[in-house]
Amino acid sequence: MRWARHAVPAAVTALAALAARDLLQREHALRRNFPLLGRARYLLESVGPELRQYIVAGNNEERPFTRDQRRWVYASAKRQNNYFGFGTDNDIEYTPGYPVIKHRTFGRAVPASTPTIGHEVRLPAAKVLGGARRRTHAFRPESVVTISGMSFGSLSGPAVEALNRGAAIAGCLHNTGEGGLSAYHRHGGELILQLGTAYFGCRDDQGRFDLARLKEAVAGAPVRALEIKLSQGAKPSLGGLLPAAKVSAEIAASRGIPIGRDCVSPSRHAEFSDCDSLLDWVELLAAETGLPVGIKSAVGDLDFWTELADLMRDTGRGVDFVTIDGGEGGTGAAPLIFTDSVSLPFQQGFARVYPVFAERDLHEQVVFVGSGKLGLPDNAVVAFALGCDMLAVGREAMLAIGCIQAQKCHADTCPTGVATQNAWLTRGLHPASKAVRAAHYIKTLRRDLMKVAEACGVEHPGLIDADAVEILGGRTSATPLREVYGYRPGWGLPSAADRKAVVELMSTEAPQGAVLRRHRPPRADAGGHTGRRRCGPVEVGPHGGSAAWRVSGGPRLLLRRRRRPPRGVGSVSLPPRVVPVGSRGWTG
């Protein structure tokens, strides 16, 4: 057994080298935090589809994100093949509520021929944020996709940094979450500063809102808008508690709270107590900072929305944007009853709020932002059809930077370092490399939205209306989305002026597919010459029997009718053939 004496040390050395490599590499947080053991996860993942197919669960049975959904996000973030083969495995015809997007055979927008086209399309918002109320710093967001509010404290510092760097690369806005501005938010990405009930980052020593500190924070960072958080879909009307053990020096500095003491977020704001005082505060913030100001809320009782819209119509005061967060949205930690049963899901909630504004002719003055599992193209298209102008993606962006849906956010034991403050676990997350993945995911989502818009015959996903989607009621029935939610004609679309502006923007941003242009051959000359003539690189017959067509950006094609068969052979109608000019076997 001499070979064993040498084999065992060799195996130990190899494993040690492999462990060292895992510790030093920066691509996979799990392997960096758990050398060797972390590799088992990837091994199991590689055979996971087969195990689930025969033993465990189907591709669409896991929650909150199915395996197919996660695979699409992971592949998109890594710029790998995110296509699926053999057709859908969704039970479409037997699933009530299943949305189907109706493509158009002809439309204003022509899909591009090249599959890779669209990755770099910025896809700006169809509305100008703050434009309707003429805010000093009104602007058109460069991207309809934004990164949703997830605080430093809920997420780790490296995770926030990765998202901010990714936002800078992708050219999209990054919401700070209610935890305030931290050093991790200052890596190039433009920001939406969220103001929660505790006013972190802009509060005095007693915890009250401090306007001077807010203006100081805005002046020292690339803040483009302010969002007042009224409630969150996963835990509406519920305050929060950050335990003293989690209140590190960095978190204390960004939130403006003492180190090592429990940090309590109240369930209600102290600066206003009704819609009238809320609008007063909105106008104060807008006047003092010049920034667009909006609100974020889950949807429950509609009385709040009705009163808010009535005041906006009657007084001229108003919010610049409204973010609707669905009950299926995410959170770091919340009681089960709140995550499962409090607040309406996104579609139901948004479809109740939007008409409140539309009935008062306010829908064209407000930018509507949707949130709650909208980082998947199918959900996003339905949101646009209902009237969303922008999307806020949260957990999908977390998946892009390494989250494996371990659902340990509340336990501070996230194995990939995304949602934990554990220094050993967070060291595995390398912000620079994960930023690229976040950017890839956002760009791919925008590309897919653009492709669907073109399939629907329009230039921008914001121009997809409620007639472009039908909701299946089973195998034998389907209802247009407009009828499902009682939308009137024109609802769900920007104003005519905004539609015109975004069409002009998209016509310069993205190529509108391949356009055939016919080049007619010249007629025979005055002398009746019947020889062949040339039209550019195309050879034509004496009677103009061939026609050259050029595909914009592609090869020249030759359209030629086949010769008639000899008389007596039978009458056969042969279609024209289209072949590239210069193809072998053709003599002209």
Side-chain angles (χ1 to χ4, degrees):
M1 302 296 289
R2 293 181 179 179
W3 62 270
R5 300 176 186 175
H6 302 286
V8 172
V12 172
T13 302
L15 289 174
L18 201 59
R21 185 180 186 280
D22 286 347
L23 282 169
L24 295 175
Q25 60 85 31
R26 295 179 173 181
E27 294 181 0
H28 301 285
L30 196 64
R31 283 167 47 195
R32 199 175 185 197
N33 290 336
F34 301 97
L36 297 181
L37 293 176
R39 290 176 175 269
R41 183 254 177 183
Y42 297 100
L43 175 63
L44 292 173
E45 185 183 36
S46 67
V47 297
E50 291 78 13
L51 292 175
R52 285 190 300 275
Q53 183 176 3
Y54 296 106
I55 301 175
V56 189
N59 287 334
N60 294 300
E61 293 179 359
E62 299 174 74
R63 294 293 183 272
F65 292 94
T66 69
R67 181 64 204 174
D68 278 351
Q69 291 170 340
R70 299 203 314 276
R71 178 190 149 191
W72 180 83
V73 174
Y74 293 145
S76 299
K78 298 173 184 177
R79 277 287 175 92
Q80 295 175 350
N81 183 359
N82 64 358
Y83 284 17
F84 289 73
F86 209 64
T88 181
D89 58 4
N90 292 344
D91 199 6
I92 296 176
E93 63 270 43
Y94 295 103
T95 306
Y98 194 97
V100 173
I101 302 161
K102 299 191 294 184
H103 72 283
R104 290 181 179 270
T105 304
F106 304 107
R108 299 191 305 268
V110 181
S113 310
T114 308
T116 56
I117 286 180
H119 274 292
E120 300 303 324
V121 172
R122 288 287 182 175
L123 204 55
K127 294 178 183 175
V128 175
L129 195 59
R133 301 192 175 279
R134 300 181 181 180
R135 305 302 189 196
T136 303
H137 299 303
F139 70 104
R140 184 188 300 276
E142 292 184 22
S143 171
V144 296
V145 181
T146 69
I147 297 176
S148 188
M150 296 178 285
S151 305
F152 169 50
S154 177
L155 299 190
S156 68
V160 173
E161 180 181 339
L163 293 175
N164 191 254
R165 288 178 181 269
I169 297 171
C172 75
L173 294 170
H174 179 198
N175 194 309
T176 64
E178 64 178 311
L181 267 167
S182 70
Y184 299 105
H185 289 102
R186 303 171 188 268
H187 289 275
E190 294 186 333
L191 303 170
I192 298 174
L193 178 58
Q194 190 178 86
L195 304 176
T197 56
Y199 310 113
F200 292 129
C202 51
R203 53 188 264 161
D204 60 21
D205 295 337
Q206 283 72 44
R208 296 172 298 191
F209 173 71
D210 189 327
L211 180 59
R213 292 190 179 181
L214 171 65
K215 294 170 71 173
E216 181 182 348
V218 167
V223 177
R224 301 301 304 275
L226 303 177
E227 181 180 76
I228 303 168
K229 180 182 176 182
L230 302 179
S231 58
Q232 182 177 344
K235 50 179 181 182
S237 302
L238 187 68
L241 172 68
L242 188 66
K246 283 190 173 184
V247 182
S248 64
E250 285 184 313
I251 291 177
S254 64
R255 299 195 176 199
I257 57 177
I259 301 174
R261 290 174 54 184
D262 288 343
C263 176
V264 179
S265 298
S267 60
R268 297 285 192 277
H269 279 267
E271 292 298 308
F272 51 86
S273 57
D274 53 25
C275 289
D276 191 45
S277 54
L278 166 62
L279 290 179
D280 282 341
W281 201 53
V282 167
E283 294 298 336
L284 169 67
L285 297 180
E288 290 292 332
T289 64
L291 299 175
V293 181
I295 57 174
K296 173 181 178 176
S297 178
V299 180
D301 183 21
L302 285 183
D303 289 346
F304 161 75
W305 299 103
T306 302
E307 183 181 354
L308 178 68
D310 285 340
L311 284 170
M312 288 176 60
R313 177 196 59 193
D314 297 339
T315 67
R317 297 170 296 163
V319 296
D320 298 295
F321 65 96
V322 171
T323 301
I324 299 297
D325 196 20
E328 66 271 53
T331 179
L336 186 62
I337 180 62
F338 277 82
T339 57
D340 283 357
S341 303
V342 182
S343 85
L344 290 170
F346 172 77
Q347 281 190 37
Q348 295 274 355
F350 188 90
R352 295 187 190 187
V353 170
Y354 184 89
V356 173
F357 288 86
E359 288 167 355
R360 293 158 179 80
D361 294 324
L362 297 171
H363 57 300
E364 295 178 353
Q365 303 174 23
V366 176
V367 174
F368 289 96
V369 184
S371 178
K373 294 183 72 172
L374 301 184
L376 304 166
D378 52 343
N379 294 342
V381 170
V382 175
F384 277 115
L386 287 172
C388 274
D389 302 296
M390 299 176 68
L391 310 172
V393 299
R395 287 172 296 177
E396 298 90 336
M398 292 170 61
L399 292 171
I401 63 171
C403 170
I404 58 173
Q405 195 169 280
Q407 296 178 292
K408 298 293 185 182
C409 316
H410 63 294
D412 200 38
T413 57
C414 170
T416 58
V418 175
T420 178
Q421 301 304 313
N422 183 298
W424 170 255
L425 297 175
T426 59
R427 67 176 293 278
L429 198 157
H430 185 243
S433 60
K434 298 300 185 183
V436 175
R437 293 190 180 183
H440 285 169
Y441 157 69
I442 293 167
K443 290 180 179 181
T444 304
L445 175 58
R446 291 194 305 225
R447 181 204 65 181
D448 283 10
L449 291 175
M450 191 67 195
K451 284 181 175 291
V452 174
E454 290 171 343
C456 293
V458 296
E459 300 85 352
H460 187 279
L463 303 182
I464 298 174
D465 62 17
D467 289 322
V469 179
E470 291 202 10
I471 305 299
L472 301 185
R475 190 172 187 180
T476 59
S477 65
T479 308
L481 188 67
R482 182 181 306 282
E483 294 181 19
V484 171
Y485 292 114
Y487 271 37
R488 299 176 189 171
W491 283 10
L493 292 173
S495 67
D498 285 332
R499 294 199 297 270
K500 180 180 179 181
V502 79
V503 167
E504 291 177 354
L505 282 173
M506 296 311 298
S507 65
T508 58
E509 278 283 340
Q512 292 295 309
V515 180
L516 290 173
R517 300 195 302 272
R518 185 171 184 175
H519 296 265
R520 296 185 179 276
R523 296 177 179 273
D525 61 20
H529 180 67
T530 57
R532 297 188 185 275
R533 292 180 177 272
R534 287 188 177 274
C535 178
V538 182
E539 206 171 32
V540 299
H543 302 294
S546 301
W549 296 74
R550 181 179 295 280
V551 180
S552 178
R556 183 179 288 270
L557 303 180
L558 183 67
L559 176 66
R560 179 169 184 169
R561 293 195 176 275
R562 300 177 184 176
R563 294 174 180 171
R564 295 179 179 276
R567 292 187 180 184
V569 177
S571 177
V572 182
S573 176
L574 297 175
R577 290 194 293 181
V578 180
V579 297
V581 171
S583 294
R584 294 182 179 179
W586 284 80
T587 61

